[in-house]
């Protein structure tokens, strides 16, 4: 799986995660980004790409991000034949 970006989630990410798409896979424009961690739970996040700036925003993103503050998130590119992205979530122990 090719990594798109990773972040240590902090409070300001609850409203928006600004991605750095080093893979240059994500398209420009607005669309819904379908994401899963384990193929049992699915999320649909609002996505906006403008030039080299990409953002995940919206109500569903905020509901996803809030309980995961302090976690390490990694977003991966779609695999061949898939219409979704995978996200790895590693919760930090305090």
């Amino acid at each position: 799986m090719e990594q798109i970006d990773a972040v240590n989630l902090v409070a300001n990410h609850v409203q928006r995660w600004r991605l750095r798409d080093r893979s240059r896979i994500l398209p420009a424009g607005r669309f819904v980004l379908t994401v899963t961690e384990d193929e049992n739970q699915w999320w649909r996040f609002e996505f906006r790409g403008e030039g080299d700036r990409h953002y995940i925003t919206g109500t569903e993103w905020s509901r996803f991000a809030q309980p995961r503050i302090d976690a390490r998130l990694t977003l991966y590119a779609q695999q061949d034949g898939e219409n979704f992205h995978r996200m790895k979530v590693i919760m930090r122990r305090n």
Side-chain angles (χ1 to χ4, degrees):
M1 290 186 294
E2 186 172 0
Q3 179 178 319
I4 293 175
D5 198 15
V7 66
N8 291 319
L9 203 62
V10 294
N12 67 319
H13 290 124
V14 170
Q15 296 301 313
R16 170 180 81 175
W17 175 17
R18 180 177 178 199
L19 301 168
R20 290 181 300 243
D21 180 13
R22 294 177 182 95
S23 66
R24 301 195 184 271
I25 291 173
L26 296 171
R30 293 176 181 257
F31 61 93
V32 174
L33 187 69
T34 303
V35 176
T36 186
E37 183 179 2
D38 56 12
E39 295 187 41
N40 291 317
Q41 189 170 11
W42 298 85
W43 299 278
R44 296 174 52 84
F45 302 136
E46 296 173 33
F47 179 86
R48 181 178 50 164
E50 300 171 351
D52 63 346
R53 292 175 293 196
H54 302 276
Y55 304 94
I56 295 176
T57 63
T59 303
E60 190 156 351
W61 167 253
S62 294
R63 284 194 301 256
F64 172 86
Q66 181 64 47
R68 292 170 177 83
I69 290 175
D70 293 327
R72 175 78 175 167
L73 303 184
T74 306
L75 180 65
Y76 294 96
Q78 293 177 337
Q79 298 289 323
D80 288 339
E82 295 180 341
N83 64 349
F84 58 90
H85 291 76
R86 295 180 188 276
M87 185 176 291
K88 182 176 182 181
V89 179
I90 299 174
M91 298 300 291
R92 292 178 40 189
R93 308 258 182 213
N94 292 333

